[in-house]
């Protein structure tokens, strides 16, 4: 899950990373109060979950309350690079000497954390990384050793910073956020050096590993109580604890286990179809779970046909079949469905499905061909 800039900055502040004084508003009527708090000149920043706001006109410096009101009025309700703007962050303007880039993420290829940094941060970081990748500083952190002084000293040297203390606190903060929240990215771009020589996080980007939902339920639920740019299906899937990704095709996919679900998507693609989603119900799913998963796809207007591919190990095929039948009973909508069900209690499962007129396959290839054909006919 991606956090908004203002949410990330609240977390930064809790971890001792300096941020500009700021207030979030969701209406222009709150602007005078906010400006009174942050002072003038101020910066108004559209809160959306896409990057590149600066270049798209989502970050503006204002010199009066009226100007701030005008800016906020034109931002709220508009969209920025396709994302609706519901909130605006108003901050004190900072006098910038240098803009740096600093982030912490996971380098899966070596199973370590990695600090990425650059002396040239700001809105052009992507081009800089593409043009001169060698200018990006990379410092790996072995999670078993953790963050140490030498990491930060090297960073200080590479970024040509004269002072260690502030930088240490910032990196320490990023590292703690990463661990405490199960983040997979914590980014500050730009991290600025002010004219007075202070280090301040002018922007924030934090993404949290959705698989860690169960460890931070309260935190996630609080975030979810805010309007976010998630699809209906993603919200429901998260509530039920499914691993779900919405895609742009028309064949709804349900599998048990990430590997089987991905293989199912590959099969559909192989036969010329286009998956509408990835949905893994996990191992040992009971009828309730199957029913909930299926209901997500039945409610999805983009799904024209459904392919359920379950390999019954711990999962019992009869439970799966009952879940399917119950979901269909509960929903007014019917969609053509292809079920491939093999393994534990396969015979019982087949019987239940056939009693309800649901086509049953043993071969996943045949099932995939069939569902692609159905979706094609529409
Ligand atoms: P992004 O484009 O979505 O990454 O938005 P940022 O929050 O990174 O802002 C983009 C750019 O606006 C920054 O790189 C700065 O150059 C500029 N900017 C943002 N806040 C301030 C500020 O307080 N003072 C000044 N002078 N520039 C700012
Ligand atoms: Mn930025």
């Amino acid at each position: 899950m991606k956090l908004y800039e203002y949410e990330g900055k609240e977390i930064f502040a809790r971890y001792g990373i300096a941020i500009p004084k700021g207030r979030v508003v969701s209406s222009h009527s709150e602007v005078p109060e906010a400006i009174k708090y942050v002072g003038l000149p101020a910066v108004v920043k559209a809160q959306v979950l896409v990057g590149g706001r600066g270049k798209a006109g989502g970050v503006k410096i204002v010199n009066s309350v009226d100007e701030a009101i005008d800016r906020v009025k034109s931002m709220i309700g508009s969209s920025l690079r396709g994302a609706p703007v519901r909130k605006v962050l108003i901050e004190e303007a900072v006098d910038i000497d240098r803009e740096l880039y600093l982030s912490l993420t996971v380098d899966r290829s070596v199973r370590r954390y990695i600090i990425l940094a650059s002396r040239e941060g700001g809105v052009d970081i992507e081009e800089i990384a593409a043009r001169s990748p060698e200018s990006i500083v990379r410092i790996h952190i072995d999670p078993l050793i953790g963050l140490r002084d030498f990491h930060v000293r090297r960073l200080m040297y590479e970024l040509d910073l004269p002072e260690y203390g502030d930088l240490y606190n910032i990196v320490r903060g990023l590292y703690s956020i990463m661990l405490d929240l199960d983040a997979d990215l914590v980014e500050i771009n730009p991290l600025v050096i002010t004219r007075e020589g202070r280090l301040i996080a002018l922007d924030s980007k934090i993404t949290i590993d959705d698989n860690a939902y169960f460890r931070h339920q309260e935190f996630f639920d609080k975030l979810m109580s805010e309007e976010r740019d998630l699809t209906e299906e993603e919200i429901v899937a998260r509530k039920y604890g499914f691993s779900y990704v919405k895609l742009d095709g028309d064949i709804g996919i349900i599998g048990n286990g990430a590997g089987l679900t991905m293989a199912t998507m590959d099969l559909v693609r192989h036969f010329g179809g286009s998956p509408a989603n990835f949905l893994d119900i996990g191992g040992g799913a009971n009828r309730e779970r199957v029913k909930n998963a299926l209901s997500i796809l039945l409610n999805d207007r983009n799904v024209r046909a459904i392919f359920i591919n379950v390999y019954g190990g711990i999962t019992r095929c009869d439970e799966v079949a009952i879940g399917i039948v119950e979901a269909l009973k509960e929903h007014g909508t019917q969609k053509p469905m292809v079920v491939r069900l093999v393994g534990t209690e396969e015979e019982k499962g087949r019987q239940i499905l056939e009693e309800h007129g649901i086509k049953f396959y043993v071969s996943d290839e045949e099932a995939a061909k069939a569902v692609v054909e159905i979706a094609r006919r529409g």
Side-chain angles (χ1 to χ4, degrees):
M1 171 147 47
K2 290 181 181 168
L3 304 196
Y4 286 104
E5 177 191 8
Y6 73 91
E7 293 170 329
K9 279 181 167 166
E10 276 168 24
I11 294 169
F12 283 175
R14 281 215 302 278
Y15 283 82
I17 298 172
I19 54 167
K21 222 179 187 186
R23 276 275 164 85
V24 189
V25 302
S26 39
S27 150
H28 61 88
S29 63
E30 302 163 59
V31 171
E33 186 70 32
I35 294 286
K36 203 192 279 173
Y37 175 67
V38 307
L40 284 168
V43 182
V44 294
K45 310 182 78 178
Q47 297 300 290
V48 288
L49 296 173
V50 292
R53 295 167 303 163
K55 287 189 170 169
V59 178
K60 297 285 183 191
I61 295 190
V62 296
N63 291 297
S64 70
V65 176
D66 286 342
E67 203 187 342
I69 292 175
D70 284 346
R71 286 291 183 202
V72 170
K73 261 189 189 164
S74 67
M75 280 178 182
I76 288 179
S78 72
S79 75
L80 196 71
R81 305 193 56 223
V85 180
R86 302 186 188 90
K87 289 189 172 162
V88 173
L89 177 61
I90 301 185
E91 288 185 333
E92 63 175 318
V94 173
D95 243 347
I96 301 173
D97 183 27
R98 282 171 63 196
E99 297 194 20
L100 311 171
Y101 174 92
L102 178 63
S103 71
L104 181 64
T105 184
V106 179
D107 184 348
R108 288 170 206 278
S109 65
V110 292
R111 301 176 187 178
R112 288 180 188 182
Y113 295 109
I114 183 169
I115 296 173
L116 296 171
S118 167
R119 295 180 189 205
E120 301 174 74
V123 295
D124 291 323
I125 189 67
E126 277 84 9
E127 284 99 276
I128 291 163
R131 180 166 34 85
S132 48
E134 72 289 344
S135 74
I136 305 293
V137 180
R138 295 157 200 273
I139 302 172
H140 281 103
I141 303 174
D142 185 330
L144 297 180
I145 292 170
L147 179 70
R148 294 297 158 103
D149 283 1
F150 67 85
H151 295 120
V152 184
R153 279 211 190 83
R154 200 180 130 206
L155 185 63
M156 181 179 104
Y157 168 76
E158 301 268 14
L159 291 177
D160 195 18
L161 292 174
E163 199 255 345
Y164 174 81
D166 280 356
L167 186 67
Y168 182 81
N169 287 336
I170 290 170
V171 179
R172 179 90 252 164
L174 294 185
Y175 195 72
S176 302
I177 292 169
M178 196 81 176
L179 297 188
D180 291 355
L181 296 180
D182 289 303
D184 38 38
L185 171 72
V186 190
E187 180 188 89
I188 309 177
N189 184 37
L191 171 66
V192 301
I193 309 174
T194 67
R195 299 229 179 268
E196 302 88 60
R198 290 180 62 211
L199 278 174
I200 298 184
L202 226 54
D203 193 5
S204 87
K205 186 166 165 188
I206 298 180
T207 65
I208 302 195
D209 185 347
D210 288 335
N211 293 308
Y213 174 78
F214 72 102
R215 299 215 284 209
H216 312 283
Q217 218 146 342
E218 222 170 280
F219 174 66
F220 271 77
D221 288 345
K222 183 175 157 282
L223 295 174
M224 298 293 290
S225 66
E226 291 278 319
E227 267 192 284
R228 315 189 78 79
D229 296 330
L230 294 171
T231 62
E232 265 315 293
E233 293 82 17
E234 283 169 328
I235 293 169
V236 177
R238 195 159 280 154
K239 190 178 91 190
Y240 292 134
F242 294 126
S243 204
Y244 172 91
V245 182
K246 185 151 179 77
L247 301 165
D248 53 14
D250 56 5
I251 298 177
I253 309 261
I254 291 175
N256 64 329
L260 180 65
T261 310
M262 283 193 277
T264 307
M265 293 165 60
D266 285 349
L267 264 183
V268 164
R269 273 243 178 264
H270 178 73
F271 290 111
S274 180
N277 67 278
F278 168 95
L279 201 172
D280 169 17
I281 56 172
N286 58 13
R287 62 185 75 174
E288 191 65 21
R289 242 177 121 65
V290 174
K291 192 179 94 181
N292 291 339
L294 189 49
S295 71
I296 293 173
L297 302 196
L298 288 170
N299 282 326
D300 185 341
R301 264 182 279 116
N302 295 324
V303 170
R304 294 165 78 159
I306 296 172
F307 182 7
I308 300 178
N309 190 5
V310 169
Y311 191 88
I314 301 169
T315 310
R316 288 172 38 175
C317 293
D318 55 337
E319 277 290 310
V320 173
I322 292 168
I324 293 172
V325 170
E326 283 182 358
L328 291 178
K329 266 191 203 149
E330 228 170 73
H331 277 264
T333 42
Q334 294 274 349
K335 292 182 196 266
M337 196 169 1
V338 166
V339 183
R340 184 256 184 172
L341 206 51
V342 292
T344 311
E345 302 292 0
E346 177 179 325
E347 268 318 305
K348 276 195 202 155
R350 152 179 258 161
Q351 208 180 334
I352 294 162
L353 291 179
E354 282 175 351
E355 274 167 18
H356 290 84
I358 300 165
K359 187 104 173 84
F360 170 95
Y361 290 82
V362 173
S363 153
D364 48 5
E365 289 202 9
E366 273 171 38
K369 263 188 228 166
V371 78
V372 170
E373 185 52 34
I374 292 167
R376 189 175 292 144
R377 282 203 312 266

